[in-house]
Amino acid sequence: MNKEPNTPVVMIVDDVIENLDVLVSLLSRHYRVIPIKDGEQALKRVLLEPQPDIILLDIMMPDMDGYEVCAELKANPHTKDIPVIFITMRTDTIDELRGLELGAVDYIHKPISHPIVLARIRTQLAIQESYRKLEEKNGHIHTLNERLAQDVAERVASEKALRESEERFRSLAQSATDAIISIDLDGIIHFFNKWAEKIFQYAAEEVLDHSIAMLVPENYAKAHQDAIDRIKQTGRMRHKPGQVITITVKRKDGAEIPVEMTLSAWEVDGSLHFTAIMRDITERKHLEERLAQSQRMEAVGTLAGGIAHDFNNILGIIIGNAELGTLGVSDLAEVTKNILEAATRGRDLVRRLLVFSRKTPTSKQRFNPATLVREVVQLMRSILPASIVIQDEIRDENAQIRADPAQLHQVMLNLCTNARQAMGDKGGVLTVGVARLSIDAERAKQLALNMGSHLEIRVQDTGSGMTEEVQHRIFEPFFTTKTKDKGTGLGLSVAYGTIRNCGGTIHVTSKPGQGTTFHLYIPEVVTPDNTDRPAAELPVLKKGIGRILVVDDEIGLVEIWEKLLTGLGYLVDGFTDPLEALARFHAAPHTFDAVLTDQTMPKMLGNTLGEEILKN
Ligand code: ADP
Ligand code: MG
């Protein structure tokens, strides 16, 4: 009969051919049968393919009996699992026991009963099959277990790596010398490093799980909330990742400090988080201010040389005239007028000089730059050598800009000083102009300005000019082509910063040997603004009538006031003692039209005197 490839294989070992024949004919209907005549052969064959699934083994055989064969089979790992059924004439329980002890699974007694043989074989094969299945399952479970163990090990390792990298990040973030703060989209703080504690003066526990709002100054709270809302709506930040922005933050003590910040966003489980890296720039701001101040002092130094010369002239005039006066050679009125003129010139010069050296905090105001530029031109006239001609092209006095006058003064001085240095001893022409002009769309794009009306301040020289390489670098701080005693390379960088700061820009045109022109473009302020109207001109002194009580503990000043006011037509009662003055007033309160008093006086302060007088 045709047998399936997985038909069980039965090996029959018996030295008696007839017995073999009977069993073969019986079993080959159901199984593949391998008949073997002695033990030794059986042990050889059992190792070859196809291996039997079960062995029927006769006990009584010459040379090697069934027990020995069975013992060998069970001793060999390749054959030990093949079930062995003994076929025997013996019916002794002792013999049977011996066989079972050797590892046999069953006995079949001769003469054999066919159905029993078939049944026992089937049973054993079934048992064998279930063993196999069980083993397979076990093996499967074993592999599963192994895989599980491997997974667990991998997971432990990756968790360890994760913890390590997190730990690394943490210690990195903690030891950074910038503040690092992470928040979620609701502004709740989740990370606050050591440096943040230092800058903000909060301990991490005080801010963790709180809103970032506590670090935002009230003035910026709304803008900050708007920015967060915007991100919530659009899912995008206004600032590009990595872009450095300068913002103001609030410390625990309420102080507001400037910081530079870069912001980055990242996603955890689908929700956005932000990490801000901040650097306290208070110190740098101070340094910048100090730099600007020292640059001013440098400019003053440049000026001083020229001014000393001018002062000598002024003093010469004053001394000369005074001598003429004492000698009685010329008319006293004439002499005094000359002295006064020269002294006024000296005073103005000192004033202009003070504008530069004073350390004024930047304060922008609205003003007409033409006057200021003209002042600088006047100052330059007293400094520049005669070989340099100044051409004044200052026009249009009606435009106003918003800037810090002291800073603009300095910008002009820097540009004029550069021009003078570029012209050197050979001299040339320095042209300073102010004009109004309208910037159209195209020009606005070129110059990175807004469209609209601007004021152009022009400083032009006929000096050495610049190569393109130099032109590219002139606004860099510390870029200079001059020797140490002549230049620091700060003039133009400060000038550029100042003009940029009032919404304008500086444009340069220059060619080697053909001179240089600096154009400053500053936006004109057109909206009416009452807060800082330009100062009104001083009125010319007018004559008047009335009676004035003058009080000052300094007799010299009382005398000057008496003379001045009397000269203007007033009646004057002067006192150096406020109590006496008060007594005089009380004697005839209604005869006085005005009281002019000093504030700091012995016996009574000016405001107290005023209050006493007003009681009437
Ligand atoms: P400094 O005058 O101290 O060198 P500045 O910032 O004022 O520094 O100028 C930088 C450089 O730009 C100068 O060293 C010079 O090379 C060049 N420069 C500035 N103004 C002029 C000018 N009017 N003509 C020629 N070169 C100039
Ligand atoms: Mg300079």
Side-chain angles (χ1 to χ4, degrees), residues 298 414-415 418-422 461 463-466 470 473-476 479-482 486-493 510 515-516 518:
E298 181 204 323
N414 288 348
L415 294 177
N418 280 346
R420 175 225 175 136
Q421 287 172 331
D461 66 60
S464 60
M466 288 176 257
V470 171
R473 302 192 55 195
I474 52 175
F475 295 117
E476 284 174 26
F479 173 78
T480 180
T481 56
K482 299 169 192 169
K486 291 234 172 71
T488 56
L490 287 173
L492 288 180
S493 70
S510 180
T516 302
F518 281 89

Side-chain angles (χ1 to χ4, degrees), residues 367-378 394 397 409 434 537:
F367 65 99
N368 175 7
T371 322
L372 182 147
V373 174
R374 197 161 279 135
E375 228 170 87
V376 174
V377 169
Q378 272 166 21
I394 303 170
E397 317 241 338
H409 239 280
V434 175
E537 293 286 316

Side-chain angles (χ1 to χ4, degrees), residues 59 67 70 84 86 93-107:
I59 294 177
Y67 295 132
C70 183
V84 174
F86 280 126
T93 332
I94 300 272
D95 292 336
E96 290 196 2
L97 264 180
R98 187 171 166 211
L100 293 173
E101 269 165 17
L102 281 171
V105 289
D106 208 352
Y107 271 89

Side-chain angles (χ1 to χ4, degrees), residues 300-339:
V300 171
T302 320
L303 271 181
I307 279 171
H309 174 76
D310 213 34
F311 253 115
N312 249 343
N313 289 346
I314 290 169
L315 289 177
I317 296 169
I318 292 175
I319 294 168
N321 275 289
E323 275 171 358
L324 291 179
T326 23
L327 292 175
V329 186
S330 20
D331 174 30
L332 209 57
E334 173 73 27
V335 169
T336 331
K337 189 175 146 272
N338 290 344
I339 291 179

Side-chain angles (χ1 to χ4, degrees), residues 535-595:
E537 293 286 316
L538 269 184
V540 178
L541 289 183
K542 281 203 208 116
K543 294 225 173 207
I545 43 168
R547 185 167 189 173
I548 301 174
L549 181 69
V550 173
V551 195
D552 196 313
D553 59 329
E554 182 64 55
I555 180 74
L557 290 178
V558 174
E559 280 170 10
I560 288 181
W561 281 119
E562 276 175 347
K563 279 192 190 128
L564 190 73
L565 294 172
T566 314
L568 285 172
Y570 298 97
L571 290 172
V572 180
D573 290 27
F575 290 91
T576 52
D577 183 337
L579 296 179
E580 274 176 35
L582 195 58
R584 179 79 186 77
F585 178 81
H586 283 316
H590 301 295
T591 57
F592 288 99
D593 298 295
V595 177

Side-chain angles (χ1 to χ4, degrees), residues 26 41 45 47 53 86 149 195 226 232 283 318 339 361 371 375 393 461 506 520-521 552 586:
L26 167 68
Q41 256 192 55
R45 175 61 190 83
L47 295 171
D53 295 297
F86 280 126
W195 206 267
D226 287 352
K232 272 189 183 168
E283 191 55 27
I318 292 175
I339 291 179
T371 322
E375 228 170 87
E393 292 183 3
D461 66 60
I506 303 183
L520 316 190
Y521 299 105
D552 196 313
H586 283 316

